[in-house]
Amino acid sequence: MEHESEIFRIWECSQPECRFRFSALLTEKTPPNCPRCHSDLKLVLNDCLSPKVTTAPQENPSPQLTVLLDGLRSTFNVGAVFRTGDGAGVKEILLCGTTPTPEHPKMIKTGLGAQWSVPWRYNPNALLAAQECREKGATLIALEGGETACSLFDLPVYPPEDKLVLIAGNEATGVDPELLGMCDHIAYIPMQGYKRSLNVSIALGLGIYALRFNIRTLQNR
């Protein structure tokens, strides 16, 4: 879901060959003509209220989850991770190396305030950050491919008392090889199409919810 509950209108192009249809918030300025063919617009639905997502507690307890970002470069990816982390109840986000922090002005567009609701820390060295987590008893899981990787959906179901750290790496080079060597598990996301990987923020979204909500247990129901 990409919206909060707000009032909006639905507009449609009056040209029968076009009929371009779009929504616009009540607070937005509606274009004077159809953005596609420039014909007149007609208002087809007025004062609609977008559905509001209900906040609900998890049915079952799940492990504490920390996310470690190793050398990301895109503020948009990092902002999206903060928003997902807020929704899934991530304990903390560790920003390492080149990863932008919430102070970056471009983070506002995708973080939408979530960059201030999830605790975070910066460490210039991802290996040191991961070692600190390991010393506190955390299990390290990297989202990466390779011969030693298993499917994200084949990872163990961790008990609620466990501490997990989910690691993702640079958009082009992936996770630091030495950091991979420190991990307890390397997990890949099964791909069915031409492309062999997902955008890092989308991959992390899958990983975060898989670990926080133990979706692997659905296979045994």
Side-chain angles (χ1 to χ4, degrees), residues 137-151:
T139 297
L140 306 183
I141 303 168
L143 278 178
E144 191 61 273
E147 295 181 358
T148 61
C150 69
S151 168

Side-chain angles (χ1 to χ4, degrees), residues 2-221:
E2 290 293 330
H3 57 261
E4 302 293 338
S5 182
E6 294 203 49
I7 298 174
F8 65 97
R9 294 169 173 169
I10 300 290
W11 296 85
E12 188 174 301
C13 178
S14 61
Q15 174 59 249
E17 289 77 19
C18 177
R19 298 197 63 183
F20 181 77
R21 188 181 177 103
F22 64 96
S23 63
L25 292 173
L26 207 60
T27 54
E28 293 178 332
K29 184 178 180 181
T30 306
N33 302 100
C34 172
R36 185 167 180 257
C37 73
H38 307 295
S39 299
D40 291 336
L41 290 171
K42 59 180 180 180
L43 180 65
V44 292
L45 288 174
N46 193 20
D47 293 342
C48 304
L49 184 65
S50 60
K52 185 176 181 180
V53 177
T54 302
T55 301
Q58 288 183 245
E59 293 183 3
N60 301 305
S62 63
Q64 292 183 0
L65 180 62
T66 294
V67 173
L68 190 155
L69 304 182
D70 172 29
L72 271 65
R73 295 186 179 276
S74 167
T75 54
F76 299 107
N77 284 335
V78 177
V81 173
F82 267 92
R83 190 169 180 188
T84 301
D86 174 73
V90 164
K91 178 186 176 184
E92 184 179 36
I93 297 179
L94 302 177
L95 310 171
C96 303
T98 59
T99 306
T101 67
E103 285 96 348
H104 197 293
K106 290 185 178 180
M107 195 82 74
I108 296 173
K109 187 170 184 179
T110 47
L112 297 177
Q115 68 271 29
W116 305 119
S117 66
V118 182
W120 63 273
R121 288 184 292 135
Y122 176 78
N123 193 315
N125 190 310
L127 273 66
L128 297 178
Q131 183 59 39
E132 180 183 343
C133 293
R134 178 177 287 284
E135 290 171 356
K136 294 179 180 178
T139 297
L140 306 183
I141 303 168
L143 278 178
E144 191 61 273
E147 295 181 358
T148 61
C150 69
S151 168
L152 171 68
F153 306 107
D154 288 334
L155 287 172
V157 176
Y158 297 95
E161 62 270 16
D162 278 16
K163 299 175 182 178
L164 307 179
V165 178
L166 183 63
I167 299 170
N170 179 273
E171 291 89 341
T173 61
V175 180
D176 184 319
E178 287 194 37
L179 183 54
L180 284 178
M182 296 171 60
C183 291
D184 299 284
H185 298 284
I186 300 173
Y188 67 87
I189 295 173
M191 304 292 293
Q192 300 295 308
Y194 168 72
K195 297 298 293 181
R196 308 314 301 163
S197 64
L198 296 172
N199 170 274
V200 65
S201 65
I202 294 175
L204 272 165
L206 288 171
I208 287 169
Y209 270 88
L211 294 173
R212 282 287 292 148
F213 290 85
N214 285 333
I215 65 171
R216 295 164 306 289
T217 59
L218 296 176
Q219 300 173 357
N220 301 321
R221 293 181 181 177

